[in-house]
Amino acid sequence: MASTVEHISRATIRFAGDSGDGMQLTGTQLTNTSALAGNDVATFPDFPAEIRAPRGTRAGVSGFQVQFASEDIFTPGDQLDTLVVMNPAALVTNISDLRSGGLLIVNEDNFVDKEFRLAKVESNPLDDPEMDQYRVIKIKMTLLTRTAVEELELSTKIADRCKNFFAMGFVYWLYNRDLQPTLDFINAKFGGKPEIAAANEKALKAGYNYGETTEAAISTYQVEKAKLEPGKYKNIMGNQALAWGCITAAKLSDKDLFLGSYPITPASDILHELSKHKKFGVRTFQAEDEIAAVCATIGAAFGGHMSITTSSGPGIALKGEAMGLGMILELPMLIINIQRGGPSTGLPTKTEQSDLLQCMYGRNGESPLPVIAARSPADCFDTAIDAWRVAAKFMCPVIVLSDGYIANGAEPWRIPDYDTIEKIVIDHPGERAEEDPPFLPYKRNEDLSRPWALPGTKGLEHRIGGLEKEHETGNVSYDPDNHEFMCKIRQEKIDKIAEFIPELEVDGEESGDLLVLSWGGTYGACTTAVTQCQAEGLSVSHAHLRFINPFPRNLESLLGNFKQVVIPELNLGQLQKIIKSTFGVDAEGIHKLKGRPFTVSELVQQFKELIG
Amino acid sequence: MASTVEHISRATIRFAGDSGDGMQLTGTQLTNTSALAGNDVATFPDFPAEIRAPRGTRAGVSGFQVQFASEDIFTPGDQLDTLVVMNPAALVTNISDLRSGGLLIVNEDNFVDKEFRLAKVESNPLDDPEMDQYRVIKIKMTLLTRTAVEELELSTKIADRCKNFFAMGFVYWLYNRDLQPTLDFINAKFGGKPEIAAANEKALKAGYNYGETTEAAISTYQVEKAKLEPGKYKNIMGNQALAWGCITAAKLSDKDLFLGSYPITPASDILHELSKHKKFGVRTFQAEDEIAAVCATIGAAFGGHMSITTSSGPGIALKGEAMGLGMILELPMLIINIQRGGPSTGLPTKTEQSDLLQCMYGRNGESPLPVIAARSPADCFDTAIDAWRVAAKFMCPVIVLSDGYIANGAEPWRIPDYDTIEKIVIDHPGERAEEDPPFLPYKRNEDLSRPWALPGTKGLEHRIGGLEKEHETGNVSYDPDNHEFMCKIRQEKIDKIAEFIPELEVDGEESGDLLVLSWGGTYGACTTAVTQCQAEGLSVSHAHLRFINPFPRNLESLLGNFKQVVIPELNLGQLQKIIKSTFGVDAEGIHKLKGRPFTVSELVQQFKELIG
Amino acid sequence: MSTELPVLKAADFGSDQDVRWCPGCGDYSILAQMKKALAAQGFPREKIAFISGIGCSSRFPYYMSTYGMHSIHGRAPAFATGLKSARPDLQVWVITGDGDALSIGGNHLMHAIRRNVNLNIVLFNNRIYGLTKGQYSPTSEIGKITKSTPMGSVDNPLTPLSVAVGCGATFIARSIDTNVKHLADTLQKAAEHQGTSFIEVYQNCNIFNDGAWKYATDRATKQDNVLELEHGKPLIFGAESNKGIRLNGLNPEVVELGNGIAEDDLLFHDAKAPEPTMAYLLSRMQQPEFPEAIGIFRQIDAPVYDDQLNAQVEAAQQAASDAKLNDLFNSGNTWEVG
Amino acid sequence: MSTELPVLKAADFGSDQDVRWCPGCGDYSILAQMKKALAAQGFPREKIAFISGIGCSSRFPYYMSTYGMHSIHGRAPAFATGLKSARPDLQVWVITGDGDALSIGGNHLMHAIRRNVNLNIVLFNNRIYGLTKGQYSPTSEIGKITKSTPMGSVDNPLTPLSVAVGCGATFIARSIDTNVKHLADTLQKAAEHQGTSFIEVYQNCNIFNDGAWKYATDRATKQDNVLELEHGKPLIFGAESNKGIRLNGLNPEVVELGNGIAEDDLLFHDAKAPEPTMAYLLSRMQQPEFPEAIGIFRQIDAPVYDDQLNAQVEAAQQAASDAKLNDLFNSGNTWEVG
Ligand SMILES: Cc1ncc(C[n+]2csc(CCOP(=O)(O)OP(=O)(O)O)c2C)c(N)n1
Ligand SMILES: Cc1ncc(C[n+]2csc(CCOP(=O)(O)OP(=O)(O)O)c2C)c(N)n1
Ligand code: SF4
Ligand code: SF4
Ligand SMILES: [Mg+2]
Ligand SMILES: [Mg+2]
């Protein structure tokens, strides 16, 4: 290699191009290759709401960002070290994220008048004096790709489809990545179409060689292996981890898994993933709508399955009535909400954390349900299992929150050994003879849970329903005192879960100037930002909530230990509201509603401002 | 009259019998007659969830309570002065509400073994020594009624149906009520069936005469006219007042009224009432479900009607998704929730205030909507008009809360003069010519409201939808900054309504030991309880919220003026939660979930305990 | 079936709860016939589940001694689909009303039927909303005056069986609350059918819509107004069995037998016709023009949703009988960190 | 109509928004034909409203220069019913997809149709969920392999037109995205119909379900697979117009003309038959056994919901032309307090 190699600890790269340009695939490949090289990785795909928005337009731009590092990382990075743009629209919509001095790699062939018009730019944006702050590398990717695959005699259309592999190859060269994993991928994926496989391979190598052979005025970069906890790893996306977590939870409790769902972005991939795993006793039911989905889920729960339903904001709104029934039936199930930008249809492909209040309160009457939130793609696996532990032990639906950012993001997952995961023991009451005392379907145990009696069991025949029911017998009851008693005991049961879940851990000192309290997908940005502040000697600690209802039992005292509490959220302050109404604590809020996660730097800046 | 007349200031009477015994009619007649006699009145009907629960059982008991008074009253009374029971089941389920020394009037004919079995009592409850504390009057009502109507030669079944009129007649005698209004009612209602009319008339008079002629060991009572504000009055029920308020609001704004609804207890009567008033330009659409109902409502709002939808808890849960659309479309409409006992199907015929949090937060994303609550049956009229004023001015759906207690309760309503009610002026933008600048459907005025442009207007053609929209143009926009801007401005618009609505008034001193903060149907009980405390010299004031979102602008300072704040609610503390999360004020809560309103005495007791 | 099975009587299928329908309600009769039908089939009580929505009719499960769920308004077919998919060993009944099934619940009904889930759906059609005290329903006739339609309803009613045909139902039947033998028999046949059995039962609501089916239940008129279907038999009705239905092109017409019209000229019922056009045509025969048919309109064999769903799971399990989660976890690209 | 009306061209019905469907999507053609149909009918632009649900197809209103609402998934018929009831002067179109209309929205579709609201409902049937990237829909064929059915779907598909017949539709038609003249013509006829017009359009999704309608659009095969209906004409199809449909009892059968079979032996289309059995039968004719019919299956006059609703309001207003709110307020028992 002609160029020098710079050793760096982390790199953030974004590929941006037209929806049809294959940017998601390109980013995923770089991610996997980097993970295989032992880096820690985190990703952020970002795509438009249209399937194929008009080619060349700003609306049609699709992006994929990945950070890889030789140290623990928790976010896909704020500012870009390298930005690859396939057309002018991608340039203008992404350039503001490239750091000054960063590398801008451009497919020069697309910087022509026609494309400028589509992107609604007046003139060539590369001629803007602002560009001086970047190191711009213009490559005629289209032309070079065509040339590279020439001998295969493909149509231009097909040849041009390979140009993302060319871009990938160039970036691989730039970051000293191994081509082999991607070559293997090409073979596996396009094995059935040998000419396509060959073309992609040629394009990939051409890009790599282009870097190596052209005059390399730039140095290449090397990111060493990260010091991850020893073990076997694989890259996993949030929705996949959630699906696998559910399969695992079902197996741990010796149950089949039932999913009732209706497709909706960004939750559909859980349905897709689970429907592949019938061999593990998974039944997936694509219902006619979200209401049918949750109702079928309740039906299957009555039948004794580990039963779950998945959706996103608008679909969860539709499930409200049936969730209330699930609550009063006291049957275990998971209701999984992959949040997206709201209100209404909102920004369906963007991330947000704005369904928390809906999940807490979006049902008629006094209808409390536990709420648990995943914090990162790999964490979704554990979240699903933990949620089911609670549901099964306390006989209640549990709401699981994730979001578009977690769902589509990827990170290395330390592969667990199934056999070492703690089993989930569920006792179903057994048969009864005529002479036994009558079965009491609403008699509660020490957890205040009622028995999960399965249809098919002789002597346990019973009826459940949405009308208020008498304590112990479960018969319909309009008795005033019984109603108050039952409302209170249902609430008490949920509150008691706090005794079961772990205390909240603090990252940093147990008291001090500022506590950063976070939940859900902002975990990574908050962790990184707090670590930076701590490194600068600031008195900032971090606690991340997994359970939002009920709160961990030590939360109140913890909040009291800090001069200030700040809650960063991708909404207008929903957890903040709940914290205030629960503990009276006036936490500060950092709110962002841009369909994107927090950047570390914006958090660091705000934390510092708060400490003053 | 043989007996002496005692002059009293108020009386509380309950009729209780089988669902088929006509207790609601009996109570309503006594109410109307008392109102016509110039008393202030307040009622509380209470009936089972079944249409006709099994005869004679406790589940089948239906009751109607009325208080009438020569002074202002706000509740149907706590303890009963007189209880009329038609069978043993009615006795055992109601007796605990009769005050010691109260009158118990019994249909003796039904106190037989068969009825005891149906009511699940071991022996004749009248033989219970506990009965000594009441003044029991046993009357063979069935027999006496049959005798009274003998000459009409009706079937026994039909003859027996008149016995509620006999009971009514006796109570009329007891309270010196005029028979004429009820005789008029009988003629109007049964005019088509002269023998039925005659039978009821005979039964009514027989009951009255029975009191006059039998040995009257008891005195009768006289409640004088109340000193109500001068004016013309009529008795009105909550749902009727709400319906009339909506008709009036529509007329005031020169609009036709559209109702999209699906029947549900206790909201259906609004649909029934409105469907009678087509002559006032009312269109009612009984939809296939609640979702269709609210969607049709949004469609009619788009078309320019004053558009409303009515439902109760479970139905409101179903409307959540569409309400979010209504919010982002920024179209005016009313969403009316007549709350009932929850969760799930809960206690459908009982009252509760447990949908407040659902109404505030039961939608995906950041989706704020104004919430206004009626406080009493007659107040529903003004509430509907006020709600529409806000909706039309601020271009947003407004949630109107009532409850089963208000909906079915009745009180005197001072009849307004339509011509003196302030008009509601709505400006729709007019036609535009080709050469005019383009129409901006999301350009806001000083209230932050967008224009209400009506289909049919030339030059204003525009598209609206649930995706995030660009400021001013309303075009679909995925721009991150625009999304945050729009979320915030939608919230700001709702917050700004506080500038428009009146300040909160205090009943009592503006500062002191205890502020009772109430909302919705607990108004009457709180007012009465506070007045009692004040009469005893206690430093207790009362403020009643009409708007819960946004709060009146002086609420925060008011809360600060009192040593303690207490919020009585028929739920587990929902307003309390919102007050705490909004102002950080740790109010006490008084919670009741028994399907019944507060009694004045339980509130007085609790207020006193709080003051210590 | 084991020979030890105690034989259950109809009464054994009743629960200990007080039945709370209005005296005289048609629901009582349906309840009684259901108990009889279940006793006759000898399926164990604990293997049966009744799922209902909301409405007077939907209180039904409380009165049965089987497993049961009184769910929410309109969604019973969806709950039942979930239960049956998870537990194909159970016999699952759906009890619903005309409002529950066809108004709020129309979509779930349609999808259960088109999937052919192995459920027995019994629709109590009283042409009114009973529980909410008397609003018109999707089966109420045009011009119906109710609490919500003081000037008469203007909505064209749905014909439940036509809707069922429209979504490809494999078992379609109709019976009448007071026709007790016919009803018990129909319920039993429905239970035997594999796939969705859809049964409409004419039910009298004597409080809010008394006499809605008078023409079909009055001793004096019923034989002229009701036609009892029998597979393979000609369509004959009338007090003297002297009237029949003949086909004229695609349209049915009422004819009198005799005067040159023989039984063979009539339309013969074919409940097993591969194409549902016959069932459709029968479902359109309505008063006063035509007698209304009762009995089994259609009964065909077709793949059953829950069977197929479970077959896929079994096939996948058989193809990978030693599937281990650890294999799943370790699939794809993995790497070791030392 | 005033003579001053400027004549609008098809292009005048297009909005200024970029059309964002995938290149090659069948939706483009439907959009183009809609603009043509509207230009041809000469109804003023500001009097037209397009209401859609959610899906690729449901983006349609953004691309029209009329009033429009892109609502929520499956509910467009309900929004449209409210709008049309309040504003009978508007021409209201509903744009929906196979998932939007038949999956989540099946019930609203059914009720709009049975009420016969004066709407024009256009269902873009691509037999797939486009917007959510390729799950099977209620019109996908059995065995369909999609993201959510890797082992093939087991749900029996719905036939949209059979469903419409099942709820008593008064105007039922089918057309094809690429059959541009036929499509424009069908849309225009739908607009003219009073009551619910239900039009299914075969639409190609070239990304997730390319070629779903190949048999009906390929030059080589389409004439053998598609039968164009004409009222009063015999059912004839085939590249050489030599094949026809004959009735055998209640079942259709394909016959070749000639060899003793004349046109008069064939089934004649009657779109105005009072009974919908013909339309039902035609809707059941499906590939590969039968050619699939396009054109107008049924078109009958029947009372229209919004007309009747508004007529009641007018009648009530006429009967009480001087109705005063003060009279209402003062009705019933009142009393004076001095
Ligand atoms: C979500 C919801 N909407 C409305 C209701 C009120 N509701 C209960 S039953 C019913 C209709 C009952 O009619 P039908 O299904 O015909 O049953 P029937 O009472 O006549 O047996 C309605 C509207 C409800 N319980 N839940
Ligand atoms: C309540 C709700 N559920 C689910 C979705 C996700 N969703 C959007 S469109 C769609 C189906 C689209 O299919 P179809 O109606 O056939 O339209 P096409 O995209 O094929 O034109 C789904 C499931 C949603 N937006 N809202
Ligand atoms: S209201 Fe009608 S349907 Fe309901 S229980 Fe009474 S009679 Fe039966
Ligand atoms: S995904 Fe299919 S239906 Fe949607 S725009 Fe693309 S081609 Fe058309
Ligand atoms: Mg009914
Ligand atoms: Mg589709």
Side-chain angles (χ1 to χ4, degrees), chain C residues 177-211:
Chain C
D177 54 3
T178 52
N179 199 340
V180 295
K181 234 196 75 46
H182 187 268
L183 175 56
D185 192 51
T186 308
L187 293 173
Q188 223 179 307
K189 296 225 176 81
E192 281 159 19
H193 175 69
Q194 298 300 307
T196 308
S197 314
F198 181 71
I199 312 116
E200 177 189 18
V201 182
Y202 287 179
Q203 174 243 326
N204 191 40
C205 167
N206 55 312
I207 301 294
F208 296 112
N209 202 18
D210 198 21

Side-chain angles (χ1 to χ4, degrees), chain B residues 32 35-36 38-39 228-235 244 247-248 251 258 277-289 291-292 295-296 298-300 302-303 305 321-322 325 329 331 381 412-413 415-419 434 453-458 460-467 475-476 478, chain D residues 5-6 15-17 20 45-49 51 59 61-73 75 78-90 104 107-109 111-112 114-115 305 309-310 312-314 316-317 320 323-326 328-338:
Chain B
N32 288 344
L36 285 174
N39 296 147
L228 296 172
E229 209 186 321
K232 200 164 164 197
Y233 283 81
K234 73 176 283 146
N235 248 339
W244 289 17
I247 297 174
T248 307
K251 271 272 169 295
F258 179 91
H277 296 293
K278 298 194 170 55
K279 63 169 175 282
F280 293 113
V282 179
R283 281 165 191 75
T284 56
F285 169 59
Q286 180 175 313
E288 56 272 26
D289 66 9
I291 300 177
C295 292
I298 295 174
F302 185 50
H305 279 220
E321 191 204 5
L325 178 69
L329 295 184
L331 282 171
F381 182 81
W413 173 54
I415 299 172
D417 176 3
Y418 171 74
D419 301 312
E434 291 281 355
L454 302 187
T457 320
K458 210 168 164 163
L460 302 191
E461 297 86 356
H462 65 286
R463 274 69 49 196
I464 55 180
L467 286 164
N475 291 336
V476 173
Y478 303 115
Chain D
L5 265 184
S15 78
D16 61 346
Q17 298 296 297
R20 293 189 180 175
R45 200 161 53 172
E46 69 271 15
K47 289 277 202 177
I48 302 175
I51 314 286
R59 298 289 172 101
Y62 290 125
Y63 309 140
M64 299 295 298
S65 62
T66 63
Y67 284 89
M69 188 193 290
H70 177 223
S71 72
I72 49 177
H73 196 29
R75 321 293 176 188
F79 290 96
T81 298
L83 178 60
K84 183 72 187 171
S85 299
R87 292 290 305 276
D89 59 314
L90 302 177
I104 190 168
N107 202 36
H108 308 301
L109 178 73
H111 283 274
R114 72 121 174 156
R115 290 190 183 105
Y305 179 81
L309 175 70
N310 281 287
Q312 286 197 343
V313 171
E314 274 159 41
Q317 283 177 324
K324 293 266 175 310
L325 277 182
N326 275 340
L328 174 67
F329 297 167
N330 287 282
S331 63
N333 285 331
T334 62
W335 69 94
E336 285 284 353
V337 171

Side-chain angles (χ1 to χ4, degrees), chain A residues 231 233-234 283 418 456-457, chain C residues 46 66-67 310 326 331 335 337:
Chain A
Y233 283 80
K234 71 176 284 146
R283 281 164 191 76
Y418 171 75
T457 319
Chain C
E46 69 272 15
T66 63
Y67 284 89
N310 281 286
N326 275 340
S331 62
W335 70 95
V337 171

Side-chain angles (χ1 to χ4, degrees), chain B residues 185-478:
Chain B
F185 162 82
I186 290 175
N187 267 327
K189 168 124 187 175
F190 303 104
K193 299 172 183 161
E195 38 342 327
I196 306 283
N200 285 332
E201 185 174 330
K202 279 182 191 297
L204 179 72
K205 288 183 173 163
Y208 194 94
N209 296 340
Y210 182 84
E212 228 172 48
T213 55
T214 57
E215 190 237 338
I218 52 165
S219 45
T220 64
Y221 302 95
Q222 177 75 42
V223 177
E224 300 300 336
K225 275 186 204 289
K227 280 147 245 62
L228 296 172
E229 209 186 321
K232 200 164 164 197
Y233 283 81
K234 73 176 283 146
N235 248 339
I236 201 160
M237 288 170 70
N239 276 348
Q240 184 189 11
L242 207 40
W244 289 17
C246 288
I247 297 174
T248 307
K251 271 272 169 295
L252 288 171
S253 45
D254 219 3
K255 295 219 155 284
D256 274 5
L257 181 67
F258 179 91
L259 167 71
S261 189
Y262 185 70
I264 188 169
T265 306
S268 312
D269 284 336
I270 307 176
L271 165 64
H272 305 160
E273 181 66 27
L274 284 176
S275 60
K276 287 185 212 155
H277 296 293
K278 298 194 170 55
K279 63 169 175 282
F280 293 113
V282 179
R283 281 165 191 75
T284 56
F285 169 59
Q286 180 175 313
E288 56 272 26
D289 66 9
E290 285 85 353
I291 300 177
V294 65
C295 292
T297 299
I298 295 174
F302 185 50
H305 279 220
M306 170 174 166
S307 197
I308 67 172
T309 187
T310 52
S311 193
S312 185
I316 296 292
L318 285 169
K319 292 181 201 279
E321 191 204 5
M323 283 163 70
L325 178 69
M327 197 276 322
I328 201 172
L329 295 184
E330 301 188 51
L331 282 171
M333 72 201 72
L334 304 187
I335 293 151
I336 299 175
N337 181 359
I338 315 297
Q339 299 165 96
R340 64 188 215 183
S344 194
T345 308
L347 295 178
T349 57
K350 307 291 173 188
T351 198
E352 209 161 278
Q353 296 184 295
S354 54
D355 288 349
L356 179 58
L357 290 170
Q358 166 175 251
C359 287
M360 289 289 291
Y361 304 121
R363 295 168 292 281
N364 58 298
E366 292 291 348
S367 185
L369 289 179
V371 178
I372 182 172
R375 68 186 195 190
S376 74
D379 181 55
C380 286
F381 182 81
D382 299 323
T383 304
I385 299 174
D386 288 354
W388 179 243
R389 283 190 205 281
V390 168
K393 183 171 168 64
F394 292 92
M395 286 291 285
C396 58
V398 171
I399 297 177
V400 178
L401 288 174
S402 170
D403 61 43
Y405 167 66
I406 297 177
N408 291 314
E411 67 176 359
W413 173 54
R414 191 159 161 272
I415 299 172
D417 176 3
Y418 171 74
D419 301 312
T420 64
I421 308 178
E422 192 193 335
K423 295 279 172 297
I424 301 173
V425 182
I426 300 179
D427 274 331
H428 297 291
E431 289 199 2
R432 284 183 176 233
E434 291 281 355
E435 57 277 14
D436 290 339
F439 173 60
L440 294 174
Y442 273 76
K443 190 169 165 67
R444 296 169 191 279
N445 67 12
E446 65 287 357
D447 293 324
L448 303 182
S449 297
R450 72 179 196 88
W452 191 3
L454 302 187
T457 320
K458 210 168 164 163
L460 302 191
E461 297 86 356
H462 65 286
R463 274 69 49 196
I464 55 180
L467 286 164
E468 186 57 280
K469 35 195 65 47
E470 191 177 57
H471 180 48
E472 301 208 333
T473 67
N475 291 336
V476 173
S477 164
Y478 303 115

